Amino acid sequence: MALEAKNLYFKYPKGKKAVLSDFSASFLPGELAALTGANGCGKTTLTKILLGILQPQQGLVLLDGRNIAELTLAEVGRSVGYVMQNPAQQLFCTSVEKEMDYGLLNLGLSEEEREKRINYYLEYFQLSRHRKSFPFHLSLGEQQRLLLAAVLAMKPRYLILDEPTAYLDVYRRRLLGEHLQKIRTELVCGIIVVSHDRDFVGEYCQREVVMPGAGMVENHVDSPQRRAL
């Protein structure tokens, strides 16, 4: 069981070089893995392929053994949660509570279960007082926490976070790290953190996958110290 990229090759139509060339990596349930690399190395492209938004010209992605090319985006989305770096690209509901409830409704959960999850995650991310607020009236940090709350409430099997600490202060960065450790163990959720935050990666991630430059072969960096966390 894993979220696996196998021998991926991807080149944008007007690109001079392939963004990914024979790239392979596996992300396991219960593991918090960092996806790192220089700007322009293909991290965003890879996440879109893992989510089924982009299709590689060669290779495939397996979601717990199933080729995601054979799944709908909705089916992939029920198992793989995604939080963008820029909240403005992902928020669209008219209130915080509706933003929280949107994904839960799509899961077909009862009103009681939805309310339970909404209350828990709003409280955890200190957003309860903003329950009726318009999301774009929140600060960037609050918007980021709202996205994290909404996606985590859906309890996905895998979770991809794009620069999740970008708008968090030190205290909430620590809360995030602790909560990610909790859900990876208790929910056996596989978490991929796309990040330039070396301190966060070193403190909370068990494994680091370093993206190569365009056209190069992958390189994995495994830290025994991180494995021991």
Side-chain angles (χ1 to χ4, degrees):
M1 305 294 278
L3 180 60
E4 302 173 85
K6 289 182 170 290
N7 307 113
L8 298 181
Y9 176 91
F10 185 89
K11 180 178 177 291
Y12 288 100
K14 295 183 179 180
K16 294 182 179 180
K17 293 182 179 181
V19 181
L20 299 172
S21 181
D22 198 28
F23 181 87
S24 298
S26 295
F27 303 96
L28 306 176
E31 176 187 64
L32 205 173
L35 184 63
T36 65
N39 290 331
C41 70
K43 297 189 297 295
T44 298
T45 300
L46 176 60
T47 59
K48 289 180 178 179
I49 292 174
L50 293 176
L51 291 161
I53 297 171
L54 293 177
Q55 296 294 325
Q57 284 89 17
Q58 296 177 23
L60 65 134
V61 174
L62 297 178
L63 174 57
D64 292 336
R66 301 180 67 189
N67 187 345
I68 67 168
E70 301 171 357
L71 304 176
T72 66
L73 286 177
E75 288 174 322
V76 176
R78 281 193 284 270
S79 294
V80 186
Y82 181 51
V83 176
M84 297 178 181
Q85 180 179 0
N86 183 358
Q89 297 177 339
Q90 202 165 357
L91 295 170
F92 58 90
C93 292
T94 56
S95 72
V96 166
E97 66 178 356
K98 288 181 179 179
E99 196 73 53
M100 291 288 301
D101 201 31
Y102 180 82
L104 301 179
L105 278 168
N106 287 335
L107 292 179
L109 300 176
S110 68
E111 182 176 356
E112 180 182 4
E113 178 61 22
R114 298 195 328 263
E115 190 67 15
K116 178 182 176 181
R117 295 192 192 187
I118 289 171
N119 289 338
Y120 175 82
Y121 283 99
L122 287 182
E123 179 67 25
Y124 187 91
F125 286 100
Q126 300 181 337
L127 292 169
S128 296
R129 65 189 179 93
H130 297 297
R131 189 182 184 105
K132 302 294 184 181
S133 299
F134 181 54
F136 287 100
H137 290 166
L138 305 180
S139 69
L140 278 175
E142 289 167 340
Q143 289 176 20
Q144 182 80 328
R145 282 150 49 203
L146 172 57
L147 284 179
L148 288 167
V151 173
L152 290 174
M154 296 174 67
K155 299 184 179 180
R157 184 159 176 77
Y158 300 93
L159 178 63
I160 300 174
L161 305 178
D162 191 357
E163 298 290 352
T165 62
Y167 304 114
L168 300 181
D169 57 29
V170 174
Y171 170 70
R172 291 189 175 90
R173 175 183 167 279
R174 178 175 59 80
L175 282 183
L176 173 64
E178 292 174 351
H179 190 69
L180 293 181
Q181 294 286 11
K182 181 178 180 181
I183 66 170
R184 78 171 181 85
T185 55
E186 293 186 0
L187 302 181
V188 197
C189 180
I191 305 169
I192 305 168
V193 175
V194 182
S195 182
H196 289 94
D197 187 339
R198 300 303 311 172
D199 291 338
F200 188 86
V201 169
E203 186 171 359
Y204 295 107
C205 295
Q206 286 72 56
R207 184 165 62 95
E208 181 176 359
V209 177
V210 181
M211 292 288 294
M216 295 175 61
V217 185
E218 68 164 338
N219 179 32
H220 285 208
V221 175
D222 244 342
S223 166
Q225 288 79 15
R226 290 180 192 144
R227 282 284 187 189
L229 286 177

